Amino acid sequence: MDLHFGDSKPTDDERAAVDALLGPPESSWEGADRSDADLRWARGGREARDRREMLLPGLHAINDRIGWISDGALDYLCRRLTVPPAEAYGVATFYAMFSVRPRPATVLHVCTDLACAAAGASELCAGVEARLGHGASVQRSPCLGLCERAPAALAVRAGDPVRTAVSAPATVEAAVLAAGSPDSAPEEPPAAMAVPQAGDPALTLLRRVGVVDPCSLDDYRAHGGYTALRRAFGLGPAGVIREVTDSGLVGRGGAAFPTGRKWQATASQPDHPHYLVCNADESEPGTFKDRVLMEGDPYALVEAMTVAGYAVGAHRGYLYLRGEYPRALRRLEHAVAQARARGFLGDDVLGQGYAFDIEIRRGAGAYICGEETALFNSIEGYRGEPRSKPPFPVEKGLFGKPTVENNVETLVNVLPILTMGAPAYAAIGTDRSTGPKLFCVSGGVDRPGIYELPFGATLGEVLALAGVRENLRAVLLGGAAGGFVRPDELDIPLTFEGTREAGTTLGSGVVMAFDDTVPLPRLLLRIAEFFRDESCGQCVPCRVGTVRQEEALHRIVRRTGAAAADDIALLREVGRAMRDASICGLGQTAWNAVESAIDRLGAYE
Amino acid sequence: MTVTSLGIPRRLLEFTIDGQAVRMPEGSTVLDACRAAGKDIPTLCQGDTLRPKNACRVCVVEVEGSRTLVPACSRRAEPGMEVRTDTERARHSRKIVLELLASSVDLSTTPQVAAWIKEYEAKPDRFGPDTARLNEEPKIDNDLYVRDYDKCILCYKCVDACGDQWQNTFAISVSGRGFDARISVEQDAPLTDSACVYCGNCIEVCPTGALSFKSEFDMRAAGTWDETRQTETTTVCAYCGVGCNLTLHVQDNEIVKVTSPHDNPVTHGNLCIKGRFGYQHVQNRD
Ligand code: SF4
Ligand code: SF4
Ligand code: SF4
Ligand code: FES
Ligand code: FES
């Protein structure tokens, strides 16, 4: 590789930010002063290229300290990591939370997504834009995962250290205050506030949220923590996989693939090392369950990852957390450090001779990185573009090695499977959808939040728990990639098979209620805008198709019946090709919700 | 001279294309098989010297048991596969892809695409007058080649050719994302400030004419570019001992551009700056 660097120099701050992450440079090849040795030795090669996976953390380091990524800073980072500057520029410009143009140190991300839009996000945006002067920039953001407290805003102030503050439910004053002095913004309510059932002894997955101290390993252990891992060591890897298979657990991220089968397929790969990846890039609009789990019971995820790593023969687990979750990041960093210090992670977990450690990787604002293979690229320091399958991750995943990837909720289910045993777990729910399920209820309900119910509860039951209001107009199931159902369809059983039979999807467990004051065409436009914004741009049906669909929806915002017919036909034709020919699930599902609104709700009749 | 490497003997796979039984060596793609069977599958981002990127999705076919359509250019053939190339479903996606592309970029210099647009009855105009287009100005920042990204379909071929697949220079990459994604050098700077070494291997693989010789660009602008009046002569580069093959494109007794045969087992169509652009001395008559 023949690298060419520009002549822009980093500032002292920029250099310090990078060096704090990577350590001081050793040679002039990577930006240090020239020494005698440099005249004789070349550096780089494979060893340096192996550090490419530090690219995303490096970009974060600069962006956190300075607020944006200058030419000189990017160049210096590239020297340190032997990454071609053009590629690093491609990566930096891929993520919404990075800027390669100067901007104020404080950025206020104001959510404009569905739940927040329904709760007045546009007034909030207009208000803060009018009030915030040059000291801060306002960035309209997709769902911040705080939908139960809509409308939401997240302030990020660059510096050493970076400061963040969340304002939700946000008023103009509160959001301006958070941006103006993040340190003195009021503390966020505890995670348990998002769990209306908190403390109910019948809960399984949420049982510790609000009960346990999320910062105390001892408290976690006092509440049953680490019994699952001990049982796992007793069973051995094959035994754990057998339990998980017998439990009937399927992935909770939306695809509903049997977890046991995935683990088995990875465990049996001859190629090594194996990797475990926890997908905590919870970016589906309307979804916030993983955040609440991670903030309220972080050790549970650390333990569950250890169990999963043990089962599939991995010694390293990557936890890929979306960049918009500062509190979850703090809690997990703390939990991982504590677990490591106390021998629950490291070279010899619990004295059982099994080595396992967890590395946390922070996303930077890209919904597509929740796609399993895009997530690998993101960790590896490439653009978060999905790879084409086959080969599947169990064969060639992270760093081209056999990898198991599960989302947070799926992994956390493994703990009760091991503590109560597969048969008892499988007895919860229905025959084909076993176990408990988390639902993220938001929108027009009195008690929005995360609800845990056994699979098989009906949509109406979930909504009743959350206090659905009178004038319900529509329910969005499964998030922006899911589908709308009508208020007369509330007896749909919330199982994978039940929603499929009803011609809709459970997706990630989103239940978003809209009353008849919400302008449906505007909502659909927001969904289209979301997908157009979040398309990685790799394949034509998605890159251009999402744009053409948004244009058509713009044209018919105020039209119905025959006047909208042409554009609806166009939406259908483009949508069909997107579903059939896009590379990944984003393009394939981008039109689902709008289609369901046309077909089931008669949105433009 | 064309040398076809036979390689080690490979197992034959049996499967069907449009109901007909076919046998192909292991490792073949569905596209290889379709072409061997005489099926006409449109392709844009597939490149004969590059790993398939399967980004354009114009080559999609139906494979029994697959939920979505399958890109023929990258999917490896498997025994027992049932491939259907010309179903209504596959034709629909190809038509839409052609419409989406043709409505957003300038395909006027993309070979073959006009015929496909006709065959699939694609109507790129039907998205109305407010249709978003790329609307890029050509980037003319050096005397060797022009980047006219208004014609770019983001096939990634130039990125792959400049990067780890051939040139190892990594001067260009994709920046931005979604509809705003563009091929660019770092900081979107002029090419002259980048790592580019002007091998022109990206021009060699570009399927749309988004990358072209300055000579070609200027002649097109002047209306004097005329392929029917051009001859192609393949010869050996005289600059160094590697011995790359050059194909000289000559119009009116002037070299107007230089390409290189892709089936050459040594260079696979790649050249360096001298072979690609250093032809002025040939026509220097002073
Ligand atoms: S479907 Fe969209 S997000 Fe997925 S690869 Fe294609 S362009 Fe990227
Ligand atoms: S410039 Fe040409 S080769 Fe490069 S991506 Fe665009 S169309 Fe493809
Ligand atoms: S093209 Fe370049 S490498 Fe090839 S023979 Fe000519 S001078 Fe040598
Ligand atoms: S936080 Fe605004 S919609 Fe989720
Ligand atoms: S030619 Fe196959 S996807 Fe482009």
Side-chain angles (χ1 to χ4, degrees):
Chain A
M1 185 156 49
D2 153 36
L3 292 187
H4 165 103
F5 299 101
D7 45 18
S8 34
K9 294 275 175 283
T11 64
D12 291 346
D13 266 359
E14 289 166 344
R15 185 187 290 270
V18 173
D19 290 351
L21 179 76
L22 301 175
E26 285 173 10
S27 126
S28 70
W29 293 96
E30 44 169 359
D33 288 335
R34 192 178 292 279
S35 70
D36 286 352
D38 283 330
L39 298 175
R40 294 191 187 82
W41 302 105
R43 284 176 47 92
R46 177 173 302 281
E47 190 191 334
R49 274 198 302 283
D50 283 347
R51 302 179 82 188
R52 174 153 192 161
E53 57 149 336
M54 294 309 286
L55 183 59
L56 185 56
L59 293 170
H60 267 300
I62 300 166
N63 200 72
D64 277 355
R65 176 93 59 122
I66 315 296
W68 67 286
I69 299 162
S70 72
D71 298 6
L74 189 69
D75 225 53
Y76 180 62
L77 182 62
C78 287
R79 274 181 208 274
R80 295 299 316 271
L81 299 176
T82 332
V83 171
E87 287 196 355
Y89 181 74
V91 173
T93 54
F94 186 82
Y95 296 99
M97 296 180 89
F98 296 148
S99 172
V100 294
R101 309 268 165 263
R103 64 173 174 188
T106 304
V107 179
L108 184 70
H109 302 266
V110 183
C111 175
T112 53
D113 234 316
L114 307 174
C116 292
S122 42
E123 292 75 37
L124 178 65
C125 266
V128 290
E129 271 163 1
R131 289 270 307 272
L132 278 176
H134 301 299
S137 76
V138 177
Q139 200 169 318
R140 287 163 191 258
S141 162
C143 179
L144 291 169
L146 297 162
C147 326
E148 89 279 13
R149 287 184 270 145
L154 164 68
V156 181
R157 168 168 297 177
D160 181 23
V162 62
R163 258 78 43 91
T164 60
V166 159
S167 174
T171 57
V172 174
E173 283 70 37
V176 167
L177 175 74
S181 65
D183 291 331
S184 53
E187 175 72 15
E188 270 188 80
M193 292 296 287
V195 181
Q197 298 159 305
D200 182 343
L203 294 176
T204 305
L205 303 173
L206 297 174
R207 126 184 114 88
R208 273 183 297 257
V209 176
V211 174
V212 79
D213 173 0
C215 297
S216 164
L217 177 54
D218 288 322
D219 204 30
Y220 176 66
R221 293 178 65 200
H223 286 92
Y226 281 106
T227 46
L229 182 60
R230 284 183 202 283
R231 170 111 205 282
F233 283 135
L235 290 167
V240 176
I241 293 180
R242 201 175 322 114
E243 283 293 280
V244 172
T245 308
D246 291 349
S247 75
L249 175 66
V250 302
R252 302 291 197 240
F257 191 83
T259 307
R261 247 171 59 202
K262 200 176 191 174
W263 287 18
Q264 178 59 49
T266 308
S268 59
Q269 291 292 323
D271 195 11
H272 280 277
H274 294 179
Y275 288 107
L276 169 74
V277 172
C278 171
N279 185 342
D281 187 75
E282 175 179 61
S283 308
E284 180 65 39
T287 317
F288 47 98
K289 60 192 166 74
D290 292 350
R291 173 181 59 82
V292 171
L293 278 172
M294 291 185 289
E295 289 180 347
D297 195 7
Y299 288 99
L301 181 57
V302 174
E303 180 184 358
M305 284 182 70
T306 315
V307 171
Y310 176 67
V312 303
H315 297 290
R316 179 167 287 273
Y318 282 86
L319 172 55
Y320 188 90
L321 179 66
R322 69 181 303 213
E324 292 88 341
Y325 281 179
R327 183 160 71 170
L329 176 68
R330 283 196 302 274
R331 296 264 157 93
L332 282 162
E333 277 176 341
H334 178 81
V336 167
Q338 287 301 109
R340 200 179 285 144
R342 301 270 299 274
F344 290 89
L345 287 175
D347 292 341
D348 185 13
V349 175
L350 283 181
Q352 298 286 322
Y354 167 60
F356 184 73
D357 214 329
I358 293 176
E359 201 158 317
I360 300 177
R361 282 305 162 84
R362 188 158 43 124
Y367 170 75
I368 188 60
C369 290
E371 199 279 342
E372 54 179 355
T373 58
L375 192 157
F376 300 149
N377 278 333
S378 181
I379 292 180
E380 290 177 25
Y382 294 91
R383 292 164 55 80
E385 292 171 353
R387 304 173 181 172
S388 56
K389 294 184 275 191
F392 291 94
V394 292
E395 223 182 290
K396 282 192 188 330
L398 187 63
F399 303 115
K401 297 295 176 185
T403 303
V404 118
E405 180 174 333
N406 288 126
N407 80 339
V408 175
E409 187 189 348
T410 312
L411 284 169
V412 167
N413 269 278
V414 170
L415 303 179
I417 289 172
L418 289 183
T419 49
M420 65 171 72
Y425 179 93
I428 307 172
T430 66
D431 280 356
R432 281 148 69 203
S433 296
T434 61
K437 173 77 191 116
L438 300 181
F439 297 98
C440 314
V441 189
S442 62
V445 293
D446 292 332
R447 290 175 298 279
I450 308 286
Y451 289 86
E452 176 183 320
L453 287 162
F455 268 117
T458 65
L459 177 56
E461 284 164 11
V462 174
L463 283 171
L465 268 180
V468 68
R469 299 179 194 142
E470 277 291 280
N471 47 352
L472 184 69
R473 165 78 165 96
V475 181
L476 179 61
L477 272 187
F484 286 96
V485 298
R486 288 187 307 273
D488 63 356
E489 298 180 290
L490 297 190
D491 53 357
I492 295 178
L494 296 179
T495 55
F496 294 114
E497 62 278 11
T499 46
R500 201 176 313 125
E501 266 159 37
T504 180
T505 170
L506 203 53
S508 56
V510 169
V511 175
M512 209 183 262
F514 296 99
D515 61 30
D516 54 16
T517 63
V518 175
L520 213 43
R522 288 255 138 231
L523 205 65
L524 302 184
L525 201 49
R526 170 59 211 165
I527 293 176
E529 179 188 79
F530 172 82
F531 284 108
R532 185 256 298 145
D533 246 7
E534 298 294 342
S535 166
C536 80
Q538 197 179 193
C539 66
V540 176
C542 176
R543 177 177 78 236
V544 190
T546 51
V547 175
R548 296 292 173 258
Q549 287 207 320
E550 191 190 351
E551 289 165 352
L553 288 168
H554 262 293
R555 285 194 292 267
I556 56 175
V557 141
R558 265 178 229 90
R559 277 193 259 153
T560 51
D566 269 9
D567 277 314
I568 288 179
L570 186 144
L571 281 165
R572 285 190 200 280
E573 279 197 45
V574 173
R576 185 175 165 218
M578 286 165 62
R579 184 172 293 156
D580 272 348
S582 295
I583 293 179
C584 83
L586 187 150
Q588 289 159 12
T589 60
W591 142 253
N592 283 0
V594 179
E595 182 184 42
S596 69
I598 293 171
D599 290 344
R600 289 176 105 109
L601 306 178
Y604 297 99
E605 272 162 21
Chain B
M1 177 186 66
T2 305
V3 179
T4 310
S5 152
L6 293 174
I8 45 168
R10 286 181 294 175
R11 203 155 60 94
L12 287 183
L13 307 174
E14 282 183 43
F15 56 101
T16 67
I17 297 180
D18 296 333
Q20 262 171 269
V22 292
R23 286 151 67 87
M24 289 294 287
E26 204 174 11
S28 310
T29 63
V30 170
L31 182 66
D32 296 333
C34 289
R35 289 197 168 150
K39 308 279 173 189
D40 179 31
I41 312 266
T43 56
L44 283 167
C45 71
Q46 186 264 347
D48 53 355
T49 61
L50 296 161
R51 277 202 295 279
K53 180 68 189 170
N54 61 52
C56 77
R57 318 302 278 185
V58 78
C59 69
V60 286
V61 296
E62 270 194 68
V63 170
E64 186 67 35
S66 171
R67 185 174 44 88
T68 56
L69 298 175
V70 161
C73 64
S74 65
R75 178 58 62 86
R76 301 258 165 228
E78 288 161 32
M81 224 178 201
E82 288 173 41
V83 179
R84 279 185 299 276
T85 63
D86 210 34
T87 61
E88 189 274 332
R89 200 174 157 210
R91 291 185 69 93
H92 173 81
S93 279
R94 289 182 207 156
K95 164 179 160 239
I96 297 288
V97 163
L98 288 166
E99 287 177 344
L100 293 175
L101 272 181
S103 65
S104 50
V105 298
D106 170 10
L107 294 181
S108 62
T109 48
T110 305
Q112 288 181 287
V113 84
W116 293 327
I117 286 182
K118 208 161 149 215
E119 181 192 339
Y120 290 95
E121 293 169 20
K123 296 185 190 62
D125 309 333
R126 73 186 176 118
F127 300 113
D130 52 356
T131 308
R133 290 185 63 90
L134 250 57
N135 285 330
E136 298 276 309
E137 284 298 313
K139 293 185 193 298
I140 312 172
D141 49 20
N142 67 84
D143 277 340
L144 301 183
Y145 76 98
V146 176
R147 301 175 291 157
D148 185 359
Y149 292 132
D150 201 35
K151 294 178 169 174
C152 173
I153 61 167
L154 269 191
C155 70
Y156 290 64
K157 278 185 183 174
C158 55
V159 177
D160 289 343
C162 186
D164 64 348
Q165 292 190 32
W166 292 113
Q167 183 61 27
N168 270 286
T169 291
F170 301 92
I172 44 178
S173 167
V174 180
S175 67
R177 76 173 183 218
F179 198 74
D180 299 328
R182 297 285 186 280
I183 303 293
S184 74
V185 308
E186 68 270 28
Q187 317 299 350
D188 209 6
L191 208 60
T192 44
D193 289 351
S194 78
C196 176
V197 297
Y198 303 94
C199 63
N201 294 333
C202 56
I203 313 173
E204 182 76 53
V205 296
C206 180
T208 61
L211 307 176
S212 66
F213 276 67
K214 180 82 164 33
S215 48
E216 173 173 350
F217 183 85
D218 289 344
M219 287 172 77
R220 280 189 190 274
T224 55
W225 181 260
D226 185 355
E227 274 166 23
T228 60
R229 278 162 49 211
Q230 292 173 7
T231 57
E232 295 179 17
T233 313
T234 298
T235 176
V236 177
C237 174
Y239 275 109
C240 84
V242 172
C244 304
N245 283 11
L246 309 181
T247 301
L248 309 176
H249 299 243
V250 177
Q251 180 178 334
D252 302 335
N253 224 11
E254 283 221 5
I255 299 171
V256 290
K257 72 171 177 184
V258 176
T259 58
S260 178
H262 290 198
D263 57 3
N264 183 300
V266 178
T267 56
H268 297 278
N270 296 293
L271 298 171
C272 79
I273 181 173
K274 292 185 280 182
R276 181 85 64 190
F277 292 109
Y279 53 77
Q280 296 307 329
H281 71 286
V282 178
Q283 38 208 35
N284 193 340
R285 310 250 186 270
D286 296 337

